[in-house]
Amino acid sequence: MDIKQIGQIGITVKDFDRGVAFYKEKLALPLLFSTGNLAFFDCNGVRLLLSLPEKEEFANASSILYFTVEDIKDSYEELVNNDVRFLDEPHVVAKMGDTETWMAFFSDEEGNTHALMSEVTIS
C-alpha cells in the first residue's frame, strides 16, 4: 500500500443547514455540491465533507483543522467581522530559526474547534 494524500476530511455536524451556512458563508469555502445530508467543500484541493452522524457514537466534535493563511492578523479581523467566534487572538506558538508559527483558534457553529495558521519569516 502506498498512501498518497488525504482525499477528504469529514466533519460531523448536529444541524446540517447551520453547518453548511458556516463553512459557505462565514469561511467562504466553495461548495462543490450537496446531496441529502452531505455537503462537499473545496479548501484549495482538499475536500471537506459535512454530514450528520450516521450513529450516535459518531456525534463527537471533529479533529482540529488548521487553515493556512498568508496574513493571520488580517484573516482574523475579517472572520471576526463575519461573526466567527474565536477562542483566542493570533499568537506565536513556535519559533524555528527565522520562522514563527502563528495560530488563532475558533469554533464553528457545531462546537468543532479549528485554527488559522500562518508561517511568518522574521527579519
Side-chain angles (χ1 to χ4, degrees):
M1 179 173 70
D2 188 20
I3 296 175
K4 302 288 185 199
Q5 67 185 34
I6 294 173
Q8 179 170 286
I9 297 171
I11 302 170
T12 304
V13 296
K14 299 171 190 121
D15 181 312
F16 184 74
D17 293 333
R18 182 177 64 197
V20 169
F22 180 84
Y23 288 87
K24 183 178 178 184
E25 296 167 14
K26 293 192 178 185
L27 295 188
L29 293 177
L31 177 64
L32 297 172
F33 61 96
S34 181
T35 177
N37 288 329
L38 303 173
F40 298 86
F41 291 88
D42 177 57
C43 185
N44 198 32
V46 175
R47 192 167 60 194
L48 300 180
L49 160 65
L50 296 188
S51 67
L52 295 172
E54 289 182 39
K55 299 179 181 176
E56 188 58 35
E57 61 259 29
F58 300 135
N60 301 321
S62 70
S63 298
I64 297 174
L65 300 179
Y66 294 84
F67 295 97
T68 303
V69 295
E70 286 294 319
D71 186 320
I72 194 165
K73 292 177 182 177
D74 284 349
S75 297
Y76 169 84
E77 291 298 327
E78 184 177 331
L79 292 180
V80 165
N81 290 334
N82 207 13
D83 296 324
V84 173
R85 295 182 321 257
F86 276 82
L87 307 175
D88 55 16
E89 294 184 1
H91 60 281
V92 176
V93 296
K95 292 183 182 183
M96 298 161 285
D98 63 348
T99 303
E100 293 179 337
T101 301
W102 285 69
M103 292 189 188
F105 291 86
F106 63 92
S107 295
D108 69 10
E109 304 291 333
E110 302 300 310
N112 297 302
T113 300
H114 303 306
L116 296 181
M117 179 178 120
S118 185
E119 300 286 328
V120 178
T121 302
I122 47 179
S123 41

